[in-house]
Amino acid sequence: LWPLWPMHRGFDRLSPSGRRVRAAMAPSIDLAIAVVAYMVCSSSALIVISRTIHHFPFPGGVFCVQILFTVLVVLLGRRLRLIEADALVWNNVKRFALYVASFVLCLYSGGKALQATSVETVAVANAASPLVVCVFEWLLLGHERPTARSALALLGVLLGSVGYVVTDSEFVAKGVSAYGWVLFNLAAIVFERVWGKRLISTVQFANPVWGSVLYSNALSLLPMALLACATGETRDLRRADQSPQAYAWLAASCVVGVGICWTGWNARSRMSAASVTLLGVVCKFLSVLLNVVFFDRHASPVGLAMLAVCLISSGLYTQAPKRPNGIDAGSQGPESQETKDPESQETKDPSRSGNLDDSGSQETKDPETDSRST
């Protein structure tokens, strides 16, 4: 995406009319860059992490390395003044506590699901997440209901997912037990997407994207390490592959981890939770295509056909707009209500303004009372 940056900034060197064109196009260009960046990182992340866990069969330990690398990159960039990331503040740390828990569970369950099943199975299970996310957007984030076209698109994703599960050999052999980690990961993804969208709407950061990246990773390092130790991953350290290829995959996963963190929060700041989730589903199917081309562990032809149904249906989805008079639950924190519009609070509180007027009028309109009392 770096070659796009001079083109994006090149409008500043144009005439005033060119700068006006740039100002009008800026939101569309920024959104397009955000979508492309997220798709590149997300589609490659599933493959890279899957191969890394294949060489290092302890997902918690792998994610600890990735999280630590991301934190160091953000701190170094802030030290060199290349990026702006907010420092850890206790008030914001409390706000991130619940999200950090869901983030850790989402990462760990996703790693265990990739370890137990194929990439296609994880992708199809995630395809059902927009169905649930759009409901929570309507209930909690002030969005309208999906249009008829979007509803048909979500239905197509659901039918394609069900068709894949029915033809999956692991599901036929083991039943629902084969999808234990997959279903747990699905629930964690839904909560993480919805709560992350609400969080970025309520927490005040100088740089919401890099600030969220630093908070989510710095606060997740210790819980992820404790979870890895509690599940006995320390006993699996001797099973790690010591080949240069294994460490190359680990290094690639660290780089992709930084990219997916930044592009994920950047997409959340510009798109609805359901749109980000559905975009993630499309990226999962791109991961499936890469997996089919380069690796040998993939689904049957019928399963791949069901994946195609999900992919086509995803392309028909359109983002639900905000309700005109709806209340965004993400912006209804006590702090935001107190600081949102102090002037409106004064005008909406007749008792408070009335008391001030009465006291002022008593001081100016009745000076004789004061003289008689003295």
Side-chain angles (χ1 to χ4, degrees), residues 165-176:
V165 171
V166 172
T167 59
D168 185 21
S169 58
E170 294 184 2
F171 180 79
V172 174
K174 301 179 182 179
V176 181

Side-chain angles (χ1 to χ4, degrees), residues 54-58 236-243 246-247:
H54 174 74
H55 293 285
F56 300 94
F58 33 87
D236 298 331
L237 294 177
R238 59 180 178 272
R239 297 169 53 194
D241 189 356
Q242 301 297 328
S243 65
Y247 285 102

Side-chain angles (χ1 to χ4, degrees), residues 307-332:
L307 286 176
V309 173
C310 294
L311 182 58
I312 295 173
S313 300
S314 299
L316 299 176
Y317 180 84
T318 56
Q319 176 175 320
K322 289 273 191 177
R323 291 195 293 268
N325 297 323
I327 298 176
D328 187 354
S331 61
Q332 295 302 311

